[in-house]
Amino acid sequence: RFGGTAVDASAALQHLLERMTAEAPRSRPTAGEALIDPYLTLDGVEHERRLAQERAEREAELEKARRLEDRVGFMRPPWYWAEQDPLADGFSKLDVTAQMKDRVQLLVDGTCNHVTLGWGRDQVIKMEYGGLDVQRVFRIENMRLWRRYCERRREVAALRWEPSLEAKGVATMDYGIWLSKSGVDAAAGEMMLWHGTKPGLVDLIARDGFEERLAGLKGLFGAGNYFAECSSKSDQYCTPDPLEDPIGGTYYLMLCRVAMGTPVRVSEPRNDLRIPPLRVEGDASQGRYDSLLGHVMQVKYREFVVYDRAQCYPEYIVEYKRRPKAPPT
């Protein structure tokens, strides 16, 4: 009798062997089992030691990855860039006309004061024209400049003593709603602003960045890197390629990221400046402002100035032509 039921002797023996196998300590593995799982050949203490070592190694790798993310995560390129590795070395000038021309044209038009086109204190070539027509748009992915900019942007955000300049109320950010989705850092007072320049300097700026050390003190607010919220203001500084064809030639604007932080606001010329002034005059312990926002009453436009080339990044190059003024009807 087995378990209260009459069974065949061989079946009872098989049942008993199965119970013994299940309850008994594990016997030495076969060679095949050891090949599949080498830990089967170890005793309990060694097995646990090896598992603990592997766990420690995995945790060390995870901690290394976390430290790397902390070190370079803030330098991650914008989500729409082709290059996504913040530690990459490379420079690309990508033609994004097909994707960007219409929205950039709307931004140019929306930030253009047509009344002032062709004249003004800073107009290099005085002439009559009716608008700015975008021809091509390029995006600059310069990883060396990008990392430098990100380092400085983080400093501006971390060291601010007062609230940073808000993007709301800045024409480029108000008209270019899509710019708010480009990853601008509000804590650093980051915004997209226009910069106008000569054809021969566009690619130089794209590769090497802005250079305030070469600027003179003849600017209204000293030797800095100047930006504008209005395309018509930056257009004043542009010259055509070729120079002898002002109405048919090609002009260049740059749409740049600028970390304004907390700017000093001035309403009169300060052409003595090479760095932002102290927050509290005579007290260096309170630090300096991050930038300057100038609006002289006789001048129609506000000017945004940073005195550190690492605080601005030239992200887009916009090729355009000046539209002939329509004859009066």
Side-chain angles (χ1 to χ4, degrees), residues 48-163:
E48 287 301 321
R49 189 190 72 77
R50 293 280 186 92
L51 288 175
Q53 181 180 352
E54 281 197 356
R55 281 195 297 269
E57 289 173 355
R58 284 197 299 270
E59 288 172 3
E61 286 297 317
L62 286 172
E63 180 58 28
K64 182 179 178 181
R66 281 193 291 268
R67 286 198 302 270
L68 181 62
E69 179 64 21
D70 290 341
R71 186 166 65 87
V72 304
F74 69 94
M75 294 188 287
R76 203 165 298 286
W79 60 269
Y80 49 85
W81 279 25
E83 179 58 74
Q84 286 297 304
D85 181 2
L87 298 180
D89 288 317
F91 170 88
S92 299
K93 180 181 176 181
L94 305 175
D95 190 333
V96 292
T97 305
Q99 308 97 294
M100 300 292 294
K101 181 180 178 181
D102 291 344
R103 63 176 57 178
V104 171
Q105 183 66 67
L106 288 173
L107 184 63
V108 167
D109 292 341
T111 60
C112 180
N113 183 347
H114 291 78
V115 175
T116 67
L117 283 179
W119 67 275
R121 172 184 179 273
D122 297 312
Q123 186 78 29
V124 177
I125 299 180
K126 290 180 168 57
M127 55 184 287
E128 287 194 355
Y129 50 102
L132 313 176
D133 291 333
V134 174
Q135 305 298 304
R136 294 197 295 174
V137 183
F138 297 90
R139 185 174 68 238
I140 302 303
E141 298 186 7
N142 185 328
M143 300 312 296
R144 177 178 58 83
L145 288 187
W146 177 252
R147 285 192 293 272
R148 185 179 75 179
Y149 172 70
C150 289
E151 290 275 8
R152 180 61 182 142
R153 180 178 62 179
R154 184 169 69 163
E155 290 176 1
V156 169
L159 299 176
R160 60 197 172 111
W161 298 70
E162 303 170 33

Side-chain angles (χ1 to χ4, degrees), residues 253-272:
L253 286 172
M254 305 188 87
L255 186 59
C256 307
R257 289 177 179 263
V258 184
M260 289 291 292
T262 303
V264 59
R265 299 167 186 263
V266 300
S267 57
E268 57 185 24
R270 288 293 308 272
N271 53 12
D272 60 317

Side-chain angles (χ1 to χ4, degrees), residues 244-257:
E244 59 274 10
D245 188 4
I247 201 63
T250 300
Y251 297 80
Y252 297 88
L253 286 172
M254 305 188 87
L255 186 59
C256 307
R257 289 177 179 263

